[in-house]
Amino acid sequence: MRLTSSSRPSTRGIKRIDLAYVQLASSEHARDINRDIVLEIIRSRQPISRADLARTSGLQPSTISAIVEQLLEEKWVTEGAVARRPRGRRPTLLSLNDELVILAADVRPQQAIVAVVDLNGRFLAREVVPLVSEPKRAILKMVERMEAMRVNHRDRSFEGVGISIPGRIDPESQRLILAPNLKWGNCDVKSVVEEKLHLQVELANAANASLLSELWSGKLDGVRDAVLVTVSEGLGAAILANGQIITSRNGLAGEFGHSPIDPSGPTCGCGQRGCWEVFASSSAALRYYAELNPKGRAVNIHDLLSMSEEGDPTAIAAVSRQASCIGRGLRLITAALAPEVILITGDITTSWPRFGPIIQAELENTMLAGRAPRLEITSDGELSRLRGAAAVVLQRHSGYRRSAPFVKKRGQR
Ligand SMILES: [Zn+2]
Protein backbone atom coordinates (compact mmCIF):
# COMPACT_ATOMS: atom_id res chain seq x y z
CA MET A 1 0.00 0.00 0.00
CA ARG A 2 1.24 3.49 -0.81
CA LEU A 3 -0.29 6.00 1.47
CA THR A 4 1.47 8.80 -0.30
CA SER A 5 -0.22 8.09 -3.59
CA SER A 6 -3.70 7.47 -2.20
CA SER A 7 -3.86 10.24 0.38
CA ARG A 8 -2.26 12.94 -1.73
CA PRO A 9 -4.68 14.91 -3.92
CA SER A 10 -4.31 13.86 -7.52
CA THR A 11 -2.22 16.23 -9.56
CA ARG A 12 -3.53 14.83 -12.81
CA GLY A 13 -6.96 15.38 -14.31
CA ILE A 14 -9.50 18.03 -13.51
CA LYS A 15 -10.99 18.21 -10.03
CA ARG A 16 -14.62 19.23 -9.93
CA ILE A 17 -16.84 19.55 -6.92
CA ASP A 18 -20.31 18.30 -7.86
CA LEU A 19 -22.68 20.02 -5.47
CA ALA A 20 -25.42 17.47 -6.18
CA TYR A 21 -23.35 14.68 -4.61
CA VAL A 22 -21.03 16.51 -2.27
CA GLN A 23 -20.50 14.95 1.15
CA LEU A 24 -18.93 17.22 3.72
CA ALA A 25 -16.14 15.68 5.76
CA SER A 26 -17.86 15.45 9.14
CA SER A 27 -15.72 14.31 12.07
CA GLU A 28 -17.55 10.98 11.93
CA HIS A 29 -16.72 10.61 8.23
CA ALA A 30 -13.07 11.48 8.89
CA ARG A 31 -12.97 8.90 11.70
CA ASP A 32 -14.36 6.23 9.34
CA ILE A 33 -11.71 7.05 6.73
CA ASN A 34 -8.92 6.89 9.33
CA ARG A 35 -10.25 3.57 10.61
CA ASP A 36 -10.21 2.15 7.07
CA ILE A 37 -6.64 3.35 6.55
CA VAL A 38 -5.49 1.79 9.83
CA LEU A 39 -7.20 -1.51 9.01
CA GLU A 40 -5.59 -1.54 5.57
CA ILE A 41 -2.12 -0.86 7.02
CA ILE A 42 -2.60 -3.72 9.50
CA ARG A 43 -3.74 -5.99 6.65
CA SER A 44 -0.78 -5.19 4.43
CA ARG A 45 1.99 -4.93 7.06
CA GLN A 46 0.91 -7.29 9.83
CA PRO A 47 2.06 -8.02 12.46
CA ILE A 48 2.55 -4.37 13.34
CA SER A 49 2.83 -2.33 16.54
CA ARG A 50 0.73 0.73 17.40
CA ALA A 51 3.86 2.91 17.17
CA ASP A 52 4.58 1.68 13.64
CA LEU A 53 0.93 2.24 12.71
CA ALA A 54 1.25 5.86 13.85
CA ARG A 55 4.53 6.30 11.94
CA THR A 56 3.17 4.72 8.74
CA SER A 57 -0.19 6.51 8.75
CA GLY A 58 0.95 9.87 10.09
CA LEU A 59 -1.94 9.79 12.59
CA GLN A 60 -1.48 10.80 16.23
CA PRO A 61 -0.67 7.92 18.64
CA SER A 62 -3.84 8.79 20.62
CA THR A 63 -5.97 8.49 17.44
CA ILE A 64 -4.30 5.16 16.64
CA SER A 65 -5.01 3.87 20.16
CA ALA A 66 -8.70 4.79 19.90
CA ILE A 67 -9.09 3.19 16.46
CA VAL A 68 -7.22 0.04 17.50
CA GLU A 69 -9.45 -0.31 20.58
CA GLN A 70 -12.49 -0.14 18.32
CA LEU A 71 -11.05 -2.70 15.86
CA LEU A 72 -10.18 -5.04 18.75
CA GLU A 73 -13.67 -4.67 20.17
CA GLU A 74 -15.23 -5.43 16.77
CA LYS A 75 -12.86 -8.42 16.52
CA TRP A 76 -11.38 -7.34 13.17
CA VAL A 77 -7.89 -7.49 14.64
CA THR A 78 -6.17 -9.41 17.39
CA GLU A 79 -3.28 -8.57 19.59
CA GLY A 80 -0.70 -11.29 19.91
CA ALA A 81 3.01 -11.64 19.44
CA VAL A 82 5.38 -9.40 21.31
CA ALA A 83 7.94 -7.57 19.18
CA ARG A 84 11.61 -8.18 19.96
CA ARG A 85 13.36 -4.94 20.84
CA PRO A 86 16.92 -4.59 22.19
CA ARG A 87 15.72 -2.41 25.08
CA GLY A 88 12.73 -0.56 26.46
CA ARG A 89 9.09 -1.64 26.31
CA ARG A 90 8.26 -4.53 24.07
CA PRO A 91 5.12 -3.63 22.14
CA THR A 92 2.43 -6.21 21.36
CA LEU A 93 1.74 -6.61 17.66
CA LEU A 94 -1.57 -6.40 15.84
CA SER A 95 -2.79 -8.73 13.09
CA LEU A 96 -6.06 -9.43 11.31
CA ASN A 97 -8.23 -11.84 13.24
CA ASP A 98 -7.91 -15.30 11.65
CA GLU A 99 -11.03 -16.46 13.43
CA LEU A 100 -13.24 -14.34 11.18
CA VAL A 101 -14.07 -16.03 7.89
CA ILE A 102 -16.20 -15.39 4.85
CA LEU A 103 -18.21 -17.79 2.67
CA ALA A 104 -17.38 -17.09 -0.96
CA ALA A 105 -18.88 -18.39 -4.19
CA ASP A 106 -17.81 -18.04 -7.81
CA VAL A 107 -20.85 -18.75 -9.99
CA ARG A 108 -20.24 -19.90 -13.57
CA PRO A 109 -22.62 -21.23 -16.23
CA GLN A 110 -22.55 -24.89 -15.19
CA GLN A 111 -20.90 -24.87 -11.81
CA ALA A 112 -20.05 -22.81 -8.79
CA ILE A 113 -16.92 -22.94 -6.66
CA VAL A 114 -17.71 -22.36 -3.00
CA ALA A 115 -15.14 -21.73 -0.32
CA VAL A 116 -14.36 -20.60 3.20
CA VAL A 117 -11.86 -17.73 3.08
CA ASP A 118 -10.20 -15.99 6.02
CA LEU A 119 -9.45 -12.27 6.28
CA ASN A 120 -5.97 -12.87 4.88
CA GLY A 121 -7.42 -14.36 1.69
CA ARG A 122 -6.43 -17.94 2.64
CA PHE A 123 -8.76 -20.77 1.58
CA LEU A 124 -9.75 -23.06 4.45
CA ALA A 125 -12.06 -25.18 2.29
CA ARG A 126 -13.02 -25.16 -1.36
CA GLU A 127 -15.23 -27.33 -3.55
CA VAL A 128 -16.96 -27.40 -6.92
CA VAL A 129 -20.75 -27.64 -7.02
CA PRO A 130 -22.39 -28.62 -10.34
CA LEU A 131 -25.36 -26.34 -11.03
CA VAL A 132 -28.71 -26.97 -12.71
CA SER A 133 -29.95 -24.30 -15.11
CA GLU A 134 -33.02 -23.22 -13.11
CA PRO A 135 -31.72 -20.31 -11.02
CA LYS A 136 -33.50 -20.83 -7.70
CA ARG A 137 -32.67 -24.54 -7.57
CA ALA A 138 -29.07 -23.76 -8.52
CA ILE A 139 -28.77 -21.18 -5.73
CA LEU A 140 -30.27 -23.54 -3.15
CA LYS A 141 -27.81 -26.28 -4.16
CA MET A 142 -24.94 -23.86 -3.64
CA VAL A 143 -26.33 -22.74 -0.27
CA GLU A 144 -26.62 -26.37 0.85
CA ARG A 145 -22.85 -26.83 0.33
CA MET A 146 -22.14 -23.56 2.10
CA GLU A 147 -24.18 -24.70 5.09
CA ALA A 148 -22.15 -27.92 5.24
CA MET A 149 -18.91 -25.91 5.14
CA ARG A 150 -20.15 -23.74 7.97
CA VAL A 151 -20.80 -26.81 10.09
CA ASN A 152 -17.30 -28.13 9.32
CA HIS A 153 -15.80 -24.81 10.50
CA ARG A 154 -18.05 -24.19 13.47
CA ASP A 155 -15.08 -22.95 15.50
CA ARG A 156 -14.85 -19.87 13.25
CA SER A 157 -16.99 -16.78 13.16
CA PHE A 158 -18.73 -16.31 9.80
CA GLU A 159 -18.85 -12.67 8.83
CA GLY A 160 -20.80 -12.71 5.58
CA VAL A 161 -21.18 -14.19 2.11
CA GLY A 162 -19.57 -12.84 -1.07
CA ILE A 163 -20.78 -14.08 -4.45
CA SER A 164 -19.11 -13.41 -7.79
CA ILE A 165 -21.46 -13.61 -10.78
CA PRO A 166 -20.69 -13.26 -14.50
CA GLY A 167 -23.32 -10.55 -14.88
CA ARG A 168 -24.17 -7.02 -13.90
CA ILE A 169 -25.65 -6.21 -10.54
CA ASP A 170 -27.77 -3.21 -9.65
CA PRO A 171 -25.69 -1.35 -7.03
CA GLU A 172 -28.82 -0.20 -5.15
CA SER A 173 -31.09 -3.26 -5.10
CA GLN A 174 -28.21 -5.80 -5.52
CA ARG A 175 -30.43 -7.67 -7.99
CA LEU A 176 -28.88 -9.35 -10.99
CA ILE A 177 -29.84 -7.23 -14.00
CA LEU A 178 -27.93 -8.83 -16.86
CA ALA A 179 -26.18 -12.21 -17.15
CA PRO A 180 -26.32 -13.29 -20.81
CA ASN A 181 -24.11 -16.37 -20.33
CA LEU A 182 -25.77 -17.53 -17.13
CA LYS A 183 -29.33 -17.12 -18.46
CA TRP A 184 -30.63 -16.38 -14.95
CA GLY A 185 -32.55 -13.24 -15.92
CA ASN A 186 -33.53 -10.64 -13.33
CA CYS A 187 -33.09 -12.67 -10.20
CA ASP A 188 -32.84 -11.88 -6.48
CA VAL A 189 -29.89 -14.11 -5.54
CA LYS A 190 -29.11 -12.05 -2.44
CA SER A 191 -32.47 -12.52 -0.67
CA VAL A 192 -32.57 -16.26 -1.36
CA VAL A 193 -29.11 -16.78 0.17
CA GLU A 194 -29.70 -14.40 3.09
CA GLU A 195 -32.95 -16.11 4.00
CA LYS A 196 -31.21 -19.50 4.21
CA LEU A 197 -27.89 -18.60 5.80
CA HIS A 198 -28.89 -15.59 7.93
CA LEU A 199 -25.67 -13.85 6.94
CA GLN A 200 -25.31 -10.63 5.01
CA VAL A 201 -24.68 -11.30 1.32
CA GLU A 202 -22.74 -9.13 -1.11
CA LEU A 203 -22.80 -9.71 -4.86
CA ALA A 204 -20.06 -8.67 -7.24
CA ASN A 205 -19.67 -8.79 -10.98
CA ALA A 206 -17.01 -11.43 -11.80
CA ALA A 207 -14.64 -8.96 -13.48
CA ASN A 208 -14.91 -6.52 -10.58
CA ALA A 209 -14.30 -9.38 -8.14
CA SER A 210 -11.11 -10.36 -10.00
CA LEU A 211 -9.93 -6.76 -10.03
CA LEU A 212 -10.61 -6.42 -6.32
CA SER A 213 -8.62 -9.61 -5.72
CA GLU A 214 -5.65 -8.10 -7.58
CA LEU A 215 -5.95 -4.93 -5.50
CA TRP A 216 -6.20 -7.00 -2.31
CA SER A 217 -3.05 -8.93 -3.20
CA GLY A 218 -1.11 -5.69 -3.63
CA LYS A 219 -0.19 -6.49 -7.22
CA LEU A 220 -1.56 -3.15 -8.42
CA ASP A 221 0.06 -1.04 -5.70
CA GLY A 222 0.86 2.35 -7.17
CA VAL A 223 -1.30 1.78 -10.27
CA ARG A 224 -4.17 4.27 -10.55
CA ASP A 225 -5.62 3.29 -13.94
CA ALA A 226 -6.09 -0.30 -15.02
CA VAL A 227 -8.58 -2.43 -16.91
CA LEU A 228 -9.06 -6.13 -16.25
CA VAL A 229 -10.52 -8.32 -19.00
CA THR A 230 -12.03 -11.72 -18.15
CA VAL A 231 -11.99 -14.20 -21.01
CA SER A 232 -14.34 -17.15 -20.46
CA GLU A 233 -17.73 -18.08 -21.97
CA GLY A 234 -18.15 -14.33 -22.36
CA LEU A 235 -15.88 -11.31 -22.16
CA GLY A 236 -16.15 -9.03 -19.14
CA ALA A 237 -14.17 -6.02 -18.06
CA ALA A 238 -13.58 -4.08 -14.86
CA ILE A 239 -12.24 -0.55 -14.69
CA LEU A 240 -9.94 1.03 -12.12
CA ALA A 241 -9.82 4.77 -12.80
CA ASN A 242 -7.88 7.15 -10.58
CA GLY A 243 -7.65 4.39 -7.95
CA GLN A 244 -11.39 3.62 -7.82
CA ILE A 245 -13.33 0.71 -9.27
CA ILE A 246 -15.91 2.24 -11.60
CA THR A 247 -19.28 0.50 -11.63
CA SER A 248 -21.51 3.48 -12.55
CA ARG A 249 -24.85 4.29 -11.00
CA ASN A 250 -26.65 1.45 -12.75
CA GLY A 251 -23.83 -1.11 -12.45
CA LEU A 252 -23.32 -1.38 -16.20
CA ALA A 253 -19.91 0.28 -16.65
CA GLY A 254 -17.23 -1.74 -18.41
CA GLU A 255 -19.35 -3.71 -20.89
CA PHE A 256 -16.69 -3.53 -23.59
CA GLY A 257 -17.49 -7.15 -24.48
CA HIS A 258 -20.81 -5.98 -25.89
CA SER A 259 -19.36 -3.23 -28.09
CA PRO A 260 -20.19 -4.15 -31.68
CA ILE A 261 -17.18 -4.66 -33.92
CA ASP A 262 -18.87 -6.28 -36.92
CA PRO A 263 -22.59 -5.64 -37.52
CA SER A 264 -22.74 -8.73 -39.76
CA GLY A 265 -21.13 -10.97 -37.13
CA PRO A 266 -22.81 -13.81 -35.19
CA THR A 267 -25.61 -13.06 -32.73
CA CYS A 268 -24.43 -12.47 -29.16
CA GLY A 269 -26.06 -13.60 -25.90
CA CYS A 270 -27.14 -9.96 -25.40
CA GLY A 271 -29.29 -10.10 -28.54
CA GLN A 272 -27.11 -7.83 -30.72
CA ARG A 273 -24.85 -8.95 -33.55
CA GLY A 274 -21.09 -8.93 -33.79
CA CYS A 275 -20.11 -7.90 -30.25
CA TRP A 276 -16.38 -8.13 -29.34
CA GLU A 277 -17.36 -11.07 -27.11
CA VAL A 278 -18.58 -13.28 -29.98
CA PHE A 279 -15.13 -13.01 -31.59
CA ALA A 280 -12.84 -13.09 -28.56
CA SER A 281 -14.39 -15.30 -25.84
CA SER A 282 -13.53 -18.93 -25.14
CA SER A 283 -16.81 -19.85 -26.88
CA ALA A 284 -15.48 -18.09 -30.00
CA ALA A 285 -12.32 -20.23 -29.93
CA LEU A 286 -14.50 -23.36 -29.82
CA ARG A 287 -16.55 -22.06 -32.78
CA TYR A 288 -13.37 -21.37 -34.79
CA TYR A 289 -12.17 -24.90 -34.03
CA ALA A 290 -15.50 -26.43 -35.15
CA GLU A 291 -15.36 -24.38 -38.38
CA LEU A 292 -11.80 -25.53 -39.12
CA ASN A 293 -12.54 -29.13 -38.22
CA PRO A 294 -16.26 -29.73 -38.93
CA LYS A 295 -16.01 -33.51 -38.59
CA GLY A 296 -13.96 -33.46 -35.40
CA ARG A 297 -15.30 -34.41 -31.96
CA ALA A 298 -16.84 -31.78 -29.71
CA VAL A 299 -14.29 -30.33 -27.29
CA ASN A 300 -14.43 -27.91 -24.38
CA ILE A 301 -12.02 -25.02 -23.90
CA HIS A 302 -9.72 -26.98 -21.57
CA ASP A 303 -9.40 -29.75 -24.19
CA LEU A 304 -8.75 -27.16 -26.89
CA LEU A 305 -6.01 -25.46 -24.87
CA SER A 306 -4.30 -28.73 -24.00
CA MET A 307 -4.50 -29.84 -27.64
CA SER A 308 -2.79 -26.62 -28.66
CA GLU A 309 -0.14 -27.17 -25.98
CA GLU A 310 0.48 -30.58 -27.56
CA GLY A 311 0.99 -28.92 -30.94
CA ASP A 312 -2.34 -29.72 -32.67
CA PRO A 313 -2.25 -27.25 -35.61
CA THR A 314 -6.05 -26.83 -35.85
CA ALA A 315 -6.36 -26.10 -32.12
CA ILE A 316 -3.45 -23.64 -32.36
CA ALA A 317 -5.09 -21.90 -35.34
CA ALA A 318 -8.44 -21.60 -33.50
CA VAL A 319 -6.98 -20.16 -30.28
CA SER A 320 -4.57 -17.90 -32.24
CA ARG A 321 -7.57 -16.39 -34.04
CA GLN A 322 -9.28 -15.82 -30.67
CA ALA A 323 -6.07 -14.23 -29.30
CA SER A 324 -5.80 -11.86 -32.22
CA CYS A 325 -9.48 -10.83 -31.78
CA ILE A 326 -8.81 -10.18 -28.07
CA GLY A 327 -5.84 -8.01 -29.00
CA ARG A 328 -7.69 -6.03 -31.66
CA GLY A 329 -10.64 -5.38 -29.36
CA LEU A 330 -8.31 -3.95 -26.70
CA ARG A 331 -8.32 -0.86 -28.94
CA LEU A 332 -11.76 -0.10 -27.46
CA ILE A 333 -10.15 0.05 -24.03
CA THR A 334 -6.98 1.95 -24.92
CA ALA A 335 -8.95 4.51 -26.92
CA ALA A 336 -11.55 5.01 -24.18
CA LEU A 337 -9.44 4.87 -21.02
CA ALA A 338 -5.71 4.70 -21.87
CA PRO A 339 -4.93 2.61 -18.75
CA GLU A 340 -1.40 1.99 -17.47
CA VAL A 341 -2.05 -1.74 -17.15
CA ILE A 342 -4.36 -4.22 -18.89
CA LEU A 343 -4.83 -7.44 -16.94
CA ILE A 344 -6.15 -10.57 -18.64
CA THR A 345 -7.71 -13.40 -16.68
CA GLY A 346 -9.45 -16.60 -17.77
CA ASP A 347 -8.97 -19.73 -19.86
CA ILE A 348 -6.48 -18.44 -22.45
CA THR A 349 -4.00 -17.36 -19.76
CA THR A 350 -3.17 -21.04 -19.10
CA SER A 351 -1.34 -21.00 -22.46
CA TRP A 352 0.02 -17.48 -22.10
CA PRO A 353 3.55 -18.07 -23.47
CA ARG A 354 1.98 -19.26 -26.74
CA PHE A 355 -0.93 -16.83 -27.14
CA GLY A 356 0.07 -13.82 -24.99
CA PRO A 357 2.53 -12.54 -27.63
CA ILE A 358 -0.26 -12.54 -30.27
CA ILE A 359 -2.42 -10.35 -28.02
CA GLN A 360 0.58 -8.12 -27.21
CA ALA A 361 1.41 -7.62 -30.91
CA GLU A 362 -2.20 -6.69 -31.78
CA LEU A 363 -2.33 -4.33 -28.81
CA GLU A 364 0.80 -2.53 -29.98
CA ASN A 365 -0.49 -2.35 -33.57
CA THR A 366 -3.71 -0.69 -32.57
CA MET A 367 -2.31 2.11 -30.38
CA LEU A 368 -3.32 5.60 -31.54
CA ALA A 369 -0.08 7.03 -30.20
CA GLY A 370 2.41 6.48 -27.40
CA ARG A 371 3.40 3.29 -25.62
CA ALA A 372 0.92 0.43 -25.20
CA PRO A 373 -0.30 -0.29 -21.64
CA ARG A 374 1.53 -3.02 -19.74
CA LEU A 375 -0.19 -6.33 -20.57
CA GLU A 376 -0.25 -8.85 -17.72
CA ILE A 377 -2.20 -11.85 -16.52
CA THR A 378 -3.77 -12.08 -13.07
CA SER A 379 -1.81 -13.78 -10.33
CA ASP A 380 -4.12 -16.62 -9.38
CA GLY A 381 -6.24 -17.21 -12.48
CA GLU A 382 -9.16 -19.42 -11.55
CA LEU A 383 -9.18 -18.37 -7.91
CA SER A 384 -9.18 -14.63 -8.38
CA ARG A 385 -12.99 -14.37 -8.66
CA LEU A 386 -13.40 -16.41 -5.50
CA ARG A 387 -10.87 -14.41 -3.50
CA GLY A 388 -12.42 -11.22 -4.89
CA ALA A 389 -15.88 -12.33 -3.75
CA ALA A 390 -14.50 -12.61 -0.21
CA ALA A 391 -12.80 -9.21 -0.54
CA VAL A 392 -16.16 -7.63 -1.40
CA VAL A 393 -17.45 -8.61 2.06
CA LEU A 394 -14.33 -7.19 3.70
CA GLN A 395 -14.68 -4.06 1.63
CA ARG A 396 -18.22 -3.57 2.90
CA HIS A 397 -16.88 -3.45 6.42
CA SER A 398 -13.64 -1.66 5.97
CA GLY A 399 -14.35 0.54 2.98
CA TYR A 400 -11.25 -1.03 1.48
CA ARG A 401 -10.65 0.70 -1.85
CA ARG A 402 -14.17 2.05 -1.74
CA SER A 403 -16.02 2.09 -5.02
CA ALA A 404 -19.27 3.86 -5.81
CA PRO A 405 -21.75 1.36 -4.32
CA PHE A 406 -19.68 0.98 -1.18
CA VAL A 407 -19.32 4.60 -0.11
CA LYS A 408 -22.47 4.36 1.99
CA LYS A 409 -21.90 4.33 5.70
CA ARG A 410 -21.35 0.94 7.23
CA GLY A 411 -24.55 -0.75 8.26
CA GLN A 412 -26.65 1.33 5.85
CA ARG A 413 -28.25 -0.88 3.26
ZN1 LIG B 1 -23.32 -8.72 -26.90
Side-chain angles (χ1 to χ4, degrees), residues 258 268 270 275:
H258 295 289
C268 175
C270 73
C275 296

Side-chain angles (χ1 to χ4, degrees), residues 5 34 38 49 58 116 139 148 173 183 201 256 293 318 321 330 333:
S5 66
N34 288 342
V38 170
S49 67
V116 178
I139 298 164
S173 66
K183 301 187 178 75
V201 174
F256 291 102
N293 188 17
R321 190 164 160 205
L330 292 178
I333 291 169

Side-chain angles (χ1 to χ4, degrees), residues 180 257-260 267-278:
H258 295 289
S259 303
T267 306
C268 175
C270 73
Q272 304 286 317
R273 290 181 81 93
C275 296
W276 181 26
E277 166 170 313
V278 296

Side-chain angles (χ1 to χ4, degrees), residues 2 5 10 12 219-228 239-244 333-334 336-343 360 363 367 371-376 401:
R2 293 192 186 179
S5 66
S10 169
R12 288 172 293 167
K219 195 177 164 196
L220 289 174
D221 277 2
V223 173
R224 307 281 290 165
D225 303 295
V227 173
L228 177 141
I239 304 167
L240 183 78
N242 209 12
Q244 297 281 313
I333 291 169
T334 55
L337 295 161
E340 299 161 56
V341 178
I342 293 179
L343 283 160
Q360 177 83 46
L363 173 65
M367 287 301 292
R371 277 223 318 264
R374 224 160 68 221
L375 183 69
E376 289 177 15
R401 296 266 189 170

Side-chain angles (χ1 to χ4, degrees), residues 36 40 44 53 60 81-82 85-86 141 189-190 195 251 259 271 287 308 330 342 365 368 402 412:
D36 294 343
E40 174 57 13
S44 56
L53 272 175
Q60 292 295 328
V82 177
R85 294 277 187 279
K141 181 95 188 290
V189 181
K190 182 182 164 79
E195 212 168 275
S259 303
R287 192 179 69 244
S308 64
L330 292 178
I342 293 179
N365 277 342
L368 278 170
R402 283 158 189 260
Q412 185 185 326

